[in-house]
Amino acid sequence: MDISNVQIIEDEEASKRLQALYEVSHILTQVEADGRDLSALLPRVFMIVVRQLEAADGSIILVNEHFQVEHIWPAGDNPIENNSDLFYKNILEEGLAGLVVRHGEPVIIDDSCTDPRWLPRSKDHATVRDSWSIMCTPFKIGERTIGAATIRKPGKRQFNQRDLALLTAVSNQATNAIENARLLEESRRQLRISSLLNDASRTINSTLNINEVMQLMLAQMNDLLHAEAISIALVDKQSNELVYQVAEGIGSESIVGLRLPSNHGLSGWVMETSTPAHVPDTSADLRFKPMGDERTGYQTRAMICAPMTYKGDVLGTIQAINPINSVFTNDDLNLLVNLANIASSAIANAQQFTLTQVAESRYTGLFQDSIDPIILADFSGKIIEANRRAFAFMGYSRQELLQMTIKDLHIPEASLPNVRRMQPHSVRVFNSQIVAKNGRRIHVEIYTKRTPYGDSELIQWIHHDISKQIELEEMRKDLQAMLFHDLQSPLGNVISSLELLTYELPEDSNPILMEMVDIAMRSSSRLQTLIRSLLDINSLEAGHPITEQSRVTLTKLVEDVWDTVKPSYERREIELIRNIPAALPDIYAQEDMIRRVLINLLDNAIKYSPDSLQITFDARQNDADYILISISDQGEGIPEALRDTIFEKFRRIKTDTYSKGLGLGLAFCRLAVEAHGGKIWVDDAPGGGARFNFTLPIWMESRRRNES
C-alpha cells in the first residue's frame, strides 16, 4: 500500500473518531441540560466507542469515597450477569478496573491469556485459551479517581495508542458529565433532605406525647435512610441503662424492651461518649456487641448510630442497621445526626411535659389535701386560688375569698412582707393575725414563697394556726413570772434568817449544826442565783434593754470573780492563769450581769477540767470598739457538732465525769453578751480542751455623754 493510500485511511479514521467524539459530546450535553438519567446514557456513550473500535463489549464502573462499587454498567451486548458483592470486591481488589482506579492511569493489555492483570469473567472460562485485547481508562476529577471504563476485543494487540486516546477523551468527557450529574443529584438530594427534615421537625414537634414523637421519628428515618432496621433507645437514669423503646424493620418486635448497660456495645459507646459512630463492617469493630442479634436472630453487618443530647444531657441513641442500597455513607451519618438533634428537642419537651403533668397532679393533690390553709395570690395581693382548708378555716366561700386580697384577711396593723422583692427560691416566715368572717382573730405563722402557676408565678401563703401555742406560751410566761417573783421574797427571808442564825451561833457550837447551816446557806444562794438567771433570761428574750450600764474596769471585776470561785479551784488544785494587759481599756457594761457571765464560764471550766491542771483567762483589745475575753480549760473539749446548740436553754454538756445542771448558765451568757452588742462562741483551746470567747464594747467618752 502506498503512502497516499495510508494517509487516506488515517484521515478517514481520524474523521470517524471526531464524529464519535461529537456524538458523545451531544449525548452528554443532554445529561447536563435536562438532567437525564446518567445510568441510561453512559452505556450508550461508550457503545459508540465500542462500535468505532469494532470491539466486542465493555463495562463502566463507578466507586464511592470508601472504594466500594457504587454503579456498574455493561457497554455492548454482553451483560454483566454476576452482580454479587463478592464479584464487585474481586473486581476492585484483583481486576483490571480496580488497578486503574487505584493508580489513576490508563492500561492496554495486548493478550489477556498472558497478563495477570485481567480477571476473567465467569463465561470466559470456556474460552480461557482465547486471547483478548483490553483497554481501561480512569474517570478522574483532579487527583481523585471515581471510576473506570473497560473495552474488550478478540485477538492479540488489537488496540493502539490512538484507540486509547479516543477512549481517554471519551472518559474525560464522561467524567465531567458524571460529576455534574452527581452535583445535581446531590443538590436535589440535599433539597429533599432539607424539606424532609423541616417536615420531620414540624411533625415531631407537633405532639407532646413521647411515644408519638418516637413513632414519627421512625417514619422520618425510614423515608430518608432506607435501612433494614431502625430503632430508638432512651436512657434509664436510675439504672444507667439504654432501653430500646421503639423499632421498625427486621427484628423490631424482639428488640423493643432490650436493656443494655451504658458501657456495652456500640450504642453504649455512643451514649457514654456522646459521639456519633459509623461502622461499615461490624465484624471489624470491637465496640460492636451482638447482644441485640442474639435476641433477634438477625445479623447486623453495618450500623450508624447518633446520640440524642439536650443541653449537654444524653437522652438516648438513635441507630440504623444494614443499608438496603449499597452502604451507609458519611452523608447518611450526618443525616442521622440531624434527625437525632430534632428528636432530642422533641423528646426532651415531651419528657418535661410528662414530668410537669405528674408534678402538677401531685401538687394539686398536696394543695387540696393539706391540713394547713393555703392561698395563692398574685404579686399585687389579689387572691387567685385557695384550698379547701382555707375556706373552712377562714369561714369564707370560694367565691367570697376570690374577691378579696391578702391584706383584707389580716388585721389593719399587720406588717406584711414585700413579696415583689422575694427571691425565686427564698422562703419568708412571719407571724400575724388574720380575721375570720365571723370577726375572730386567729394567730398564724405564715410561710410565703414564689411558686409556678401555668405560664406565670404566684405567691403561695401557707397559714399555720398557732393560737393554742400563743395561748399556752402566755400562760407559761405568766406562771413563770409569778413563781419567780413569789419565790424571791420568801427565799430572801430564808437567806436573811440563815445569815442571822450564823451570826448568833456561838463559835463553839456543834460542828454538825454549823455544817448544816452552811449547806442551807449555799443551797439557798444557788437557788437565788438560778431564779435571777431565769428572770434575766425572760427579760432578755423579751427584748428588754439593759439598764444601768457603766464604765467597768475589767481587772478589778476579774479580781472580784476570782474570790468568788476561789474555793472551787483550790479544792480541785487547779491553777488559774490570768493574761490581762495593764493598759487594757475599760468596758461598757452592766457590771453585775457580766460578773455572772464570768462566774458561769469559770465554773464550767472548773467542772470540766481534770484535777491539778490549768485554766487560762485571756483578755485583749480585739479592735477599736471591743475587748475579746477567752477562758480556756484542759478538759475533754466540746464536739464541733454541739457548738451551735450548747448556748440554748436547757442544753447540758454531758461528760463521763459531769452531767449536772439545768442548762441555763450558757443560755444566760449568750443573751447577756448579745444584749451588750457582743458575740460569744466556743472553739478548741490551744493545748486541748474548750475555749469560750466573747466580746464586750469598750468604754468611750461618747457613752458618758449618753448616760448623762
Side-chain angles (χ1 to χ4, degrees), residues 265-280 285 287 303-309 314 316-320 329-341 344:
L266 187 64
S267 298
W269 181 89
V270 169
M271 169 192 160
E272 285 286 292
T273 63
S274 190
T275 304
H278 179 195
V279 180
D285 197 304
R287 296 173 299 179
M303 181 176 176
I304 52 176
C305 184
M308 295 186 295
T309 59
V314 179
T317 61
I318 183 168
Q319 42 273 322
T329 66
N330 288 331
D331 288 339
D332 293 328
L333 181 62
N334 291 333
L335 179 58
L336 187 67
V337 170
N338 287 330
L339 288 169
N341 291 335
S344 300

Side-chain angles (χ1 to χ4, degrees), residues 390-407:
F391 304 135
F393 182 69
M394 299 173 188
Y396 294 101
S397 67
R398 185 174 186 278
Q399 185 177 2
E400 290 172 329
L401 203 59
L402 297 187
Q403 299 297 317
M404 302 171 68
T405 67
I406 292 294
K407 192 174 181 180

Side-chain angles (χ1 to χ4, degrees), residues 647-658:
F647 294 103
E648 297 176 4
K649 283 190 301 184
F650 309 114
R651 292 277 186 175
R652 293 185 299 167
I653 306 171
K654 295 183 180 180
T655 69
D656 294 337
T657 58
Y658 194 86

Side-chain angles (χ1 to χ4, degrees), residues 394-433:
M394 299 173 188
Y396 294 101
S397 67
R398 185 174 186 278
Q399 185 177 2
E400 290 172 329
L401 203 59
L402 297 187
Q403 299 297 317
M404 302 171 68
T405 67
I406 292 294
K407 192 174 181 180
D408 295 336
L409 294 174
H410 290 256
I411 59 176
E413 61 269 25
S415 179
L416 303 180
N418 187 346
V419 294
R420 296 182 184 275
R421 296 181 179 178
M422 288 183 62
Q423 297 299 315
H425 302 291
S426 65
V427 177
R428 293 283 301 277
V429 183
F430 68 99
N431 291 350
S432 184
Q433 294 183 60

